[in-house]
Every structure is written in C-alpha cells, then in structure tokens.
Amino acid sequence: MRTAWVERPEKQSLPYPWICLNNKTKGFRQGELVTITSGTGMGKSSVIRELEHHILTTTEDKVGIIHLEETNERTLDGLVGIELNVPYHLDDVREQFDDSTALKAFDRLFVREDGEEPLTLYDGKELNVDKIVSRIRLMAKTQGIKWVVLDHLNLVMSGDTQIDERRNIDALMTKLREVVVETNIGLFVVSHLSRQQGKPHEEGGTISLNHLRGSQGIAQLSNIVIALERNQQAEDEEERNVVTLRILKNRYTGETGETGYLKYNHITGRIRETIKEQGVF
C-alpha cells in the first residue's frame, strides 16, 4: 500500500480556455465528471463549443461529442466557425466564405498527420440511457477517446418510458460515474435547472446546487459543477452579453463561488474572458 501511494502516476491537468476558471479549478483532468449548468438560452452551448475547440487545438487527444439537441452539421459549423472567428452556422455568414477557406479550417481541426480522426460525433437517434452510456463506453474503450461531452443530461431522460425523472437521473449519473471510473475519461455533462421562486435564472438569478433539475445525484456524483449566470433581459447590451461563471462544487481544490466573466461577441461568434471594473464590463 505504501509503495502504491508513493509511486502513483501523476495526474495531468489541462487548462480551461479561461484563466479565471483555472484559478479555482486548476484545470480539468481525466477521471473527472464535470457538470455545466444554467437557465435556458444562457450560453451553455457556446461555452461547450469553445471547450471542445480548445481541446482539439491544444492537445493530440481524441474527443467524443454527443449533442442531442442539434445535428452533426450544426456541431461542425460551430467548431469551424470558432476556427474562422465567425458565426459560421448562420447562412448569410457562411455564404461569404468559399469552399476552399472553409475546408482548410475543417482540415486544421479534424485531419491529423497520423491519419487518426480526433473527433467522433454521436449519430444515434434514440434517446435512451443504456444506449448513451454504451456509446460513451465504446468511445473510450475502442476508439481511444479521452474526453466526452454529453449535451444534455435531461434530454436523455425523454426517451425513457418511466416518469420518475429524479430516479432516472440518479440512475444515469451513477452509470456515467461508473464509466468515468472504469475508462478514466474526462466527461463533461450539460444539465438544466428547475424553475425557482424569486429572480429567474434568465434574468441573472444566482444559481445554487439545489437548483439542478431533477436530482441531487448530479451534485453528489460530479467532481466539479460550473454554473453560468446571465441577465438576458438587461437593458444594457454589454450586460446582456456577459456570463458570470460560478463554481458550485469543486472536489479538486475545494474553492467555490463567483470566479469570473465571459463575454459573447456577435460578430465573431466567440466567447472571451472579460473583467468588471466599477460595475462596467
């Protein structure tokens, strides 16, 4: 036991694209389950895409993406758009680029010199817990994928006939936790929030762990839980486009609370870290 303790393998941390998040989490690691949550339309998909692009362009690791609310074409448009610094999924923007420019961006992201494909997309149509979990296990064991994104947790539930959402989510989270431990992948899961009394999440209401929709199993089985807060209805345009990052759980360092701000640029379609000085972004 002593020898195993001393000679344990070093756990490598990879940085998030945003310094403020790294300050409290020290990055993300294989063997961790990270949950990202927010109200509806708060920018979860944009944040997730930036993270996916970051892993693809800063590591040699393979990534598996399960986006259940969008087509694979939309997923690829989003990633190529980040590479080109434009919202490429918009028809009028896409028409401005010739095929050569877009294909070069595609190849930079998804074509490796060793012939390996760094990205695997889920093309299944069935929303079923066992099928999703089996696909994640397959990605890890047979394709050598190290990082998986599941967006989103609650939609998986819609394919099951049982009506007890809480128990279903508990079961799903337990199975996802088991896959993470078994295969040592890093898993990012997107979760929605339940409606709360008081200030709505879509108007900048503060998020806490008990707001996670359906189950406390999400909070209990996640290594880290990151919440996105934004006031969609703010009169000031700058404020409407700024997301506050709040860490609700952090098993690695224990540090929680508000950690920084991300600002969306409609011209580039990108999210960049920003600071707040005297109440102004």
Side-chain angles (χ1 to χ4, degrees):
M1 182 173 64
R2 183 174 182 269
T3 300
W5 177 69
V6 172
E7 297 180 357
R8 59 187 162 181
E10 182 179 353
K11 180 174 284 191
Q12 182 183 10
S13 295
L14 296 178
Y16 285 97
W18 311 289
I19 295 172
C20 63
L21 199 54
N22 292 320
N23 287 339
K24 287 185 184 290
T25 65
K26 309 305 178 186
F28 54 95
R29 292 150 288 275
Q30 289 178 248
E32 288 187 346
L33 194 163
V34 178
T35 295
I36 298 175
T37 187
S38 77
T40 302
M42 305 294 279
K44 293 187 295 294
S45 295
S46 295
V47 168
I48 283 291
R49 263 189 279 273
E50 289 281 355
L51 180 58
E52 292 163 350
H53 180 271
H54 175 72
I55 297 173
L56 286 167
T57 56
T58 62
T59 78
E60 295 297 318
D61 298 341
K62 295 181 179 180
V63 180
I65 295 177
I66 304 174
H67 283 184
L68 298 175
E69 282 192 311
E70 65 183 32
T71 65
N72 287 344
E73 288 77 12
R74 174 64 182 89
T75 299
L76 294 173
D77 282 347
L79 292 169
V80 169
I82 291 176
E83 183 71 13
L84 293 171
N85 276 303
V86 296
Y88 191 76
H89 65 286
L90 299 177
D91 291 341
D92 59 333
V93 173
R94 194 164 57 251
E95 290 171 356
Q96 299 174 25
F97 289 85
D98 56 61
D99 289 344
S100 174
T101 300
L103 286 173
K104 286 179 181 178
F106 184 96
D107 289 347
R108 287 196 300 271
L109 284 173
F110 308 125
V111 177
R112 298 266 171 92
E113 291 183 0
D114 58 7
E116 293 285 339
E117 294 186 356
L119 177 65
T120 294
L121 298 174
Y122 176 69
D123 55 4
K125 304 301 180 184
E126 294 185 73
L127 300 178
N128 176 276
V129 170
D130 289 333
K131 287 188 179 296
I132 296 295
V133 172
S134 295
R135 179 56 65 92
I136 293 174
R137 182 177 282 109
L138 183 70
M139 286 178 174
K141 288 193 169 184
T142 68
Q143 296 177 274
I145 287 172
K146 293 184 177 180
W147 310 100
V148 176
V149 176
L150 172 58
D151 182 8
H152 60 85
L153 191 71
N154 306 89
L155 191 57
V156 179
M157 298 295 99
S158 67
D160 288 327
T161 57
Q162 298 182 38
I163 60 174
D164 190 333
E165 185 181 39
R166 182 186 63 79
R167 289 187 179 181
N168 279 353
I169 292 180
D170 279 344
L172 174 57
M173 286 298 296
T174 299
K175 291 179 179 180
L176 292 175
R177 177 79 256 172
E178 289 172 352
V179 171
V180 168
V181 172
E182 175 188 347
T183 64
N184 197 41
I185 59 169
L187 177 61
F188 296 92
V189 171
V190 176
S191 176
H192 285 185
L193 298 169
S194 59
R195 294 189 179 278
Q196 302 292 319
Q197 294 183 340
K199 191 174 185 180
H201 299 127
E202 290 76 17
E203 295 179 15
T206 301
I207 300 171
S208 64
L209 282 176
N210 61 12
H211 294 175
L212 288 164
R213 180 176 166 183
S215 169
Q216 285 304 302
I218 300 173
Q220 292 165 0
L221 294 171
S222 299
N223 293 81
I224 294 176
V225 180
I226 301 169
L228 313 180
E229 299 171 354
R230 179 167 69 92
N231 185 356
Q232 296 175 336
Q233 306 303 318
E235 293 185 7
D236 181 71
E237 184 178 0
E238 292 288 304
E239 184 180 351
R240 284 200 305 273
N241 289 323
V242 172
V243 167
T244 298
L245 290 173
R246 183 179 301 277
I247 299 176
L248 305 180
K249 179 183 179 181
N250 185 357
R251 189 175 289 169
Y252 188 69
T253 69
E255 294 188 71
T256 57
E258 186 176 307
T259 187
Y261 309 97
L262 305 179
K263 185 176 181 180
Y264 180 74
N265 185 314
H266 289 278
I267 297 175
T268 64
R270 301 293 304 275
I271 289 179
R272 301 293 192 189
E273 193 167 356
T274 188
I275 60 174
K276 188 176 184 180
E277 295 180 336
Q278 297 181 345
V280 179
F281 294 103

